[in-house]
Amino acid sequence: MKAIRRFSVRPVLPEPLRPLSDLARNLRWSWHPETRELFRSLDPEAWRASAGNPVRLLSAVPAERLAELAEDRGFLRRLAVAAGDLADYVSEPRWYQRADGVLPSGVAYFSPEFGITGALPQYSGGLGILAGDHLKTASDLGVPLIGVGLLYRHGYFRQSLTHDGWQQEHYPVFDPNEQPLQILREPGDGAPVRVELRLPGGRVLRAFVWKACVGRVPLLLLDSDVEENAPGERDVTDRLYGGGSEHRLLQEMLLGIGGVRAVRAYCRVSGHPEPEVFHTNEGHAGFLGLERIRELGEGGPDGTRLGFDAALEKVRAGTVFTTHTPVPAGIDRFDRELVARHFGDDGELPGIAVEDVLRLGMESYAGGEPNVFNMAVMGLRLAQRANGVSTLHGQVSREMFAPLWPGFDSSEVPIGSLTNGVHAPTWTAPAVPADARDLKDAELWELRRSLRERLVQEVRRRLYASWRQRGAAQAELGWIDGVFDPDVLTVGFARRVPSYKRLTLMLRDRDRLMEQLLHPQRPVQIVVAGKAHPADEGGKRLVQELVRFSDDPRVRHRIVFLPDYGMAMARHLYAGCDVWLNNPLRPLEACGTSGMKAALNGCLNLSVLDGWWDEWFEPDFGWAVPSADGAAADDTERRDAIEAAALYELVEDHIAPQFYERNGSGVPDRWVEMVRQTLTRLGPKVLADRMLREYVERLYAPAARSQRELTPPAAEELAAWKARVRAAWPGVVIDHVETSGEAGSGEALEVGASLGLRVRVGLGGLGPDDVEVQAVSGCVDESDRIAGRGAVRTPLKPTRGPDMEGRWLYEGPLALDRTGAFGYTVRILPAHRLLAGGAEMGLLVVPSENAASSSDGTGGLLMR
Ligand SMILES: *Cc1c(COP(=O)(O)O)cnc(C)c1O
């Protein structure tokens, strides 16, 4: 019988056990094995049934058991230690409290998903888990961060398989009362805080705010399941990445606009300092900038009202935008009309003209679609600082978004890169020691074997459960006891299943794969997992293809597909596999983090040189699958064939022989050495500690400084200056460039020589303080383009002007410090001390057609 209503009845803990409740409600247990062990010892059976959720555990432990524990002095002592440890952890000064420099008083970090523990299924994959790792690390380092997201009532789906391997989705009820979450309440009457958004047609979207404690970091999750909401509004936060366009827009409005309102409410009721910096993890939360513009328009902290343009400057200065996808389909784009309707007269953000909203997100650049509102574009326009998530992805993002900065070389597009990292306490198996240098080879090998053995048990357990679910009888499943072998080379492949990740590349040549699996001396076993997006039929077909292959009785003991990939399973895979395989279509993997987690456990990476691996791969600790992204870039069939062949070859000729080559004591020396290199040299780089310190130093601190400089008068001044520059820009020209000390164009000059540059420019009513006139020089390619990266930019000085025609003369030396084909050009950029870089405004002037003696029209004079 189905219940018509559901309650959650909280247990009353005996007084001596009260600290358990605080321990359960702080998610630090998710990365603190000692606390988890304490919970397990309460009632191992109930712990298993609670799926690792201590709040659920506490309501499941029988009262008699609780009474018994309340008298158990040994248990109470351990409880006191754990509670004391948590109290210290959340209060003592940490890295941030000791760091120097101007640091933000607070940072609000917005993300559509957060993966903190498998028990809180509010994530679909890497983006969310990265966000979870970001919060945990902020807690460890003492960074005053507030996380902001949505509470999805059905989270992301749970995956199972039909008998013939087709993905099934389930959406179990997620009851926040059974979770380590507390509703945010007003201090006076204790009423739940409500956030409200105005929707067209007089509708109102209301949301509660749930708070999770991630160590010392609060995470605020907005929940639209409020009784007063109409059914449509109530479902806004029903599930992660479900629904159509309007549903998605409402989710993003709630996250961005509602999220800022939730932060304000939280700071008001808790006394947490107001954040100075807002960081948006991918573009979904981009509306947060608009909400802050609205706030400033109604009067900032000191009561001064800022006009739209000035408020935009202030908001941009304090905003950091991280882009995560080089796949255009990964970016949210909405129909212009849909957005216009929601920000129109009876919609949200009264006080901001709908045209101003639209202008921020429209694809108003070459190659853009005129009627599309693009969240990534808005993210870039609303943030003074932006970054991709690996060196390669930074470069790919600069190319992808270059049309927003017309005329600039992609290397100058103001999107930096900051490589992701992973939270070691979450992802490292407790058995792996902090320092692998002291372990002897044999000990390290024994550690690897024991981790592999645990994985084998886990694989069998999950496979058995999956087959039962697929309809097999217990009696048919005896073979599962022989699945996997703790002494066989184990390869893992697990991730979401978008097509670019190529789940089935390994099936390209089935016979060859089968030979590897069944090799008499050097067999390989493979564990595969991954969820396809519910709307992605193609992805589900890939899953089915893999499942069918692994169902084959000839190989089913050597290759398995485990349904319902999530954090709990992932931990076992990263720890127990010997090799972590990743074969995306380069360069579509922005960073990839699963291989980093594997590395922390001494699992070796075998990957296409994409994302983080492109940056840090060394043959001492892994293998690079050669990528055919140059020659065969557009021929995916051919590309798959080439890359799959390379993959098989690496396994047959290098990986398997190295794994099975043993010394006199049965230890594979060379393998163990690679494990050691992975742990000691790669391990420290992949840490989220390193990532977060970089965010603080390279992005948060400069953003805090910039936005502090933008006092209301400074913001108004900057906005007015930008308007003046934009208006005057069409009149800015370079009309003459000449050099002295030049023998004549086309002739060779000697290295070490110096030329004198003289440039005549018109500034269209602007003054020399408003611009920088630069010489750009460097090596040139066959088409006379100056290489973006090695280019040297030298500011020239105004020496005379304005003359009768309003022209200025700029001069400066140009050193010929390189041999070979060398060229230079001249350009003018806006300049202001509050700009973060020369390309910020996207304005640039290059020499007019006949400004220089060269005929290439770019004004670049060429010397060979
Ligand atoms: C780390 C992780 C991911 C992301 O892995 P990628 O290598 O970035 O694809 C996805 N899901 C889970 C459960 C993870 O732990």
Side-chain angles (χ1 to χ4, degrees):
M1 248 185 294
K2 193 166 161 55
I4 56 165
R5 223 168 149 175
R6 182 188 168 101
F7 297 95
S8 169
V9 183
R10 293 227 168 122
V12 179
L13 291 173
E15 187 59 35
L17 300 185
R18 285 287 158 83
L20 278 175
S21 168
D22 295 333
L23 282 170
R25 275 169 208 294
N26 191 313
L27 285 155
R28 180 165 184 250
W29 51 255
S30 69
W31 70 96
H32 197 249
E34 292 87 339
T35 308
R36 278 207 304 277
E37 184 47 37
L38 182 78
F39 281 119
R40 202 190 60 84
S41 69
L42 249 65
D43 185 336
E45 203 43 53
W47 176 244
R48 245 190 307 278
S50 77
N53 174 354
V55 174
R56 215 179 275 153
L57 168 81
L58 291 184
S59 42
V61 179
E64 309 82 72
R65 174 68 181 150
L66 292 176
E68 187 183 303
L69 287 165
E71 309 265 293
D72 179 338
R73 300 209 1 226
F75 182 82
L76 294 178
R77 251 195 316 273
R78 287 197 292 137
L79 176 58
V81 169
D85 180 78
L86 178 63
D88 288 347
Y89 174 81
V90 298
S91 59
E92 67 195 8
R94 306 187 76 85
W95 171 77
Y96 197 82
Q97 285 65 40
R98 293 187 289 267
D100 300 324
V102 179
L103 297 174
S105 56
V107 177
Y109 178 87
F110 286 61
S111 174
E113 45 174 309
F114 285 93
I116 292 164
T117 153
L120 204 61
Q122 301 285 320
Y123 62 93
S124 74
L127 180 78
I129 289 165
L130 178 79
D133 282 7
H134 200 96
L135 298 195
K136 291 170 182 172
T137 311
S139 172
D140 290 348
L141 296 179
V143 180
L145 201 96
I146 303 175
V148 185
L150 300 178
L151 185 82
Y152 304 98
R153 281 298 176 128
H154 297 281
Y156 200 52
F157 72 94
R158 305 281 308 263
Q159 178 197 47
S160 67
L161 299 172
T162 62
H163 192 76
D164 70 343
W166 192 252
Q167 168 176 305
Q168 300 285 100
E169 295 104 31
H170 311 267
Y171 293 89
V173 192
F174 175 85
D175 182 348
N177 292 300
E178 293 175 356
Q179 296 289 335
L181 297 171
Q182 274 160 312
I183 205 155
L184 189 65
R185 293 180 185 280
E186 293 294 347
D189 58 2
V193 165
R194 271 159 198 259
V195 164
E196 293 191 357
L197 265 67
R198 296 205 322 176
L199 301 183
R203 293 177 299 148
V204 180
L205 168 59
R206 301 170 184 85
F208 291 135
V209 181
W210 294 88
K211 184 186 114 180
C213 299
V214 185
R216 50 206 285 164
V217 167
L219 167 60
L220 309 177
L221 299 169
L222 290 110
D223 172 12
S224 70
D225 190 4
V226 174
E227 268 182 44
E228 290 90 325
N229 273 341
E233 280 73 76
R234 212 168 159 169
D235 284 345
V236 165
T237 55
D238 59 349
R239 54 184 69 169
L240 181 54
Y241 303 145
S245 204
E246 174 155 11
H247 184 254
R248 199 65 179 260
L249 179 68
L250 290 179
Q251 286 193 336
E252 299 190 355
M253 287 176 65
L254 185 61
L255 176 61
I257 299 170
V260 173
R261 293 176 188 170
V263 167
R264 301 302 183 211
Y266 177 70
C267 292
R268 176 168 55 76
V269 307
S270 71
H272 192 289
E274 288 285 348
E276 289 183 289
V277 173
F278 287 74
H279 181 182
T280 143
N281 188 39
E282 195 44 275
H284 308 74
F287 291 121
L288 70 87
L290 286 170
E291 166 66 2
R292 285 155 61 226
I293 292 175
R294 182 198 64 79
E295 290 180 336
L296 292 168
E298 293 184 358
D302 65 353
T304 318
R305 292 171 174 227
L306 290 184
F308 181 86
D309 292 337
L312 173 62
E313 295 307 328
K314 172 90 178 163
V315 163
R316 276 172 49 79
T319 306
V320 174
F321 171 56
T322 300
T323 170
H324 281 269
T325 176
V327 189
I331 293 177
D332 267 316
R333 297 159 88 227
F334 296 109
D335 190 60
R336 177 187 194 279
E337 284 314 307
L338 183 71
V339 177
R341 186 147 37 86
H342 285 83
F343 291 93
D345 288 341
D346 57 349
E348 255 305 334
L349 305 182
I352 300 187
V354 65
E355 294 72 34
D356 284 333
V357 174
L358 292 173
R359 211 174 2 252
L360 286 166
M362 299 310 286
E363 297 187 348
S364 48
Y365 46 80
E369 281 184 41
N371 275 316
V372 164
F373 187 92
N374 181 314
M375 293 299 282
V377 167
M378 179 171 71
L380 291 167
R381 288 179 180 151
L382 280 172
Q384 195 175 28
R385 291 172 179 79
N387 68 292
V389 290
S390 67
T391 303
L392 178 62
H393 177 238
Q395 187 187 324
V396 170
S397 302
R398 287 188 286 280
E399 285 162 16
M400 174 165 157
F401 291 111
L404 272 87
W405 287 270
F408 285 88
D409 194 276
S410 69
S411 67
E412 289 188 85
V413 165
I415 300 176
S417 61
L418 200 161
T419 306
N420 285 342
V422 295
H423 184 245
T426 298
W427 298 110
T428 314
V432 177
D435 193 345
R437 270 172 300 206
D438 306 332
L439 289 189
K440 295 195 183 68
D441 278 7
E443 290 167 334
L444 199 45
W445 182 235
E446 183 45 41
L447 169 69
R448 292 295 319 153
R449 189 188 187 280
S450 68
L451 294 172
R452 193 185 309 114
E453 185 154 31
R454 286 192 53 192
L455 173 63
V456 170
Q457 298 308 325
E458 183 70 11
V459 163
R460 290 177 189 163
R461 190 179 71 73
R462 286 185 182 263
L463 190 65
Y464 182 81
S466 172
W467 269 110
R468 292 287 291 168
Q469 220 276 331
R470 290 172 74 183
Q474 199 176 345
E476 292 175 82
L477 298 177
W479 60 273
I480 289 182
D481 294 336
V483 167
F484 271 34
D485 178 332
D487 290 307
V488 164
L489 169 60
T490 306
V491 177
F493 183 101
R495 43 186 53 85
R496 290 180 303 111
V497 189
S499 57
Y500 77 86
K501 294 201 186 234
R502 294 192 292 189
L503 172 74
T504 53
L505 188 71
M506 65 178 87
L507 299 184
R508 201 58 222 188
D509 181 342
R510 291 173 186 232
D511 295 338
R512 196 160 171 190
L513 175 63
M514 215 176 261
E515 276 169 31
Q516 293 184 356
L517 297 172
L518 302 176
H519 194 286
Q521 287 85 39
R522 298 193 296 270
V524 176
Q525 59 197 9
I526 307 182
V527 49
V528 185
K531 293 175 174 180
H533 186 279
D536 177 13
E537 294 289 306
K540 292 185 205 179
R541 269 196 297 279
L542 298 181
V543 168
Q544 186 176 42
E545 225 182 294
L546 213 125
V547 171
R548 284 187 171 161
F549 181 84
S550 61
D551 283 351
D552 184 334
R554 288 174 297 171
V555 293
R556 66 184 182 185
H557 60 303
R558 286 282 157 73
I559 181 166
V560 297
F561 180 91
L562 301 181
D564 207 28
Y565 184 48
M567 291 180 76
M569 184 204 296
R571 278 165 118 131
H572 285 275
L573 299 187
Y574 304 145
C577 288
D578 298 292
V579 172
W580 195 252
L581 171 63
N582 191 16
N583 45 230
L585 275 172
R586 186 181 193 272
L588 298 184
E589 182 88 304
C591 178
T593 49
S594 56
M596 295 180 170
K597 303 172 202 165
L600 289 178
N601 293 283
C603 170
L604 309 182
N605 276 274
L606 164 61
S607 170
V608 165
L609 287 177
D610 200 2
W612 74 281
W613 193 235
D614 182 61
E615 206 162 318
W616 289 331
F617 158 72
E618 281 181 42
D620 287 352
F621 45 63
W623 298 272
V625 180
S627 169
D629 58 336
D634 300 325
D635 184 347
T636 43
E637 269 299 304
R638 211 179 124 221
R639 189 165 166 183
D640 284 359
I642 295 172
E643 296 181 14
L647 188 59
Y648 295 129
E649 213 171 285
L650 275 168
V651 172
E652 286 158 16
D653 298 351
H654 299 272
I655 299 173
Q658 209 156 318
F659 182 89
Y660 287 104
E661 174 195 278
R662 305 294 158 94
N663 67 14
S665 351
V667 176
D669 297 332
R670 285 203 294 156
W671 189 275
V672 170
E673 184 51 28
M674 287 181 82
V675 170
R676 196 185 297 280
Q677 295 280 335
T678 293
L679 290 171
T680 57
R681 294 192 34 234
L682 191 51
K685 292 187 195 174
V686 302
L687 298 181
D689 258 43
R690 187 264 316 142
M691 167 183 79
L692 204 74
R693 286 171 209 238
E694 286 190 36
Y695 270 108
V696 169
E697 288 160 4
R698 291 172 45 201
L699 294 163
Y700 296 166
R705 278 198 299 274
S706 294
Q707 73 86 33
R708 276 182 208 176
E709 282 191 78
L710 285 178
T711 57
E716 295 284 7
E717 187 228 297
L718 180 60
W721 177 82
K722 280 193 176 177
R724 192 160 63 81
V725 168
R726 275 202 194 91
W729 205 251
V732 177
V733 289
I734 299 173
D735 45 27
H736 191 72
V737 182
E738 62 182 44
T739 45
S740 55
E742 185 183 345
S745 189
E747 264 178 55
L749 288 157
E750 277 178 10
V751 69
S754 169
L755 300 176
L757 256 183
R758 286 159 64 92
V759 185
R760 190 163 177 261
V761 303
L763 299 182
L766 299 173
D769 289 345
D770 300 320
V771 298
E772 181 165 300
V773 179
Q774 288 178 343
V776 182
S777 61
C779 301
V780 288
D781 63 16
E782 313 81 66
S783 52
D784 286 353
R785 293 196 59 83
I786 301 172
R789 284 198 146 212
V792 177
R793 299 178 189 102
T794 323
L796 303 177
K797 290 205 172 63
T799 51
R800 241 182 297 153
D803 64 13
M804 308 274 277
E805 293 162 51
R807 295 319 205 215
W808 294 78
L809 192 66
Y810 275 75
E811 292 182 90
L814 182 68
L816 302 180
D817 51 3
R818 254 170 279 198
T819 53
F822 180 87
Y824 73 83
T825 186
V826 177
R827 62 184 196 171
I828 307 179
L829 306 170
H832 191 285
R833 67 185 175 86
L834 295 173
L835 296 185
E840 181 170 325
M841 291 181 67
L843 297 177
L844 170 77
V845 166
V846 293
S848 56
E849 281 287 322
N850 46 12
S853 50
S854 74
S855 57
D856 60 11
T858 65
L861 301 186
L862 205 59
M863 285 147 266
R864 284 177 197 279

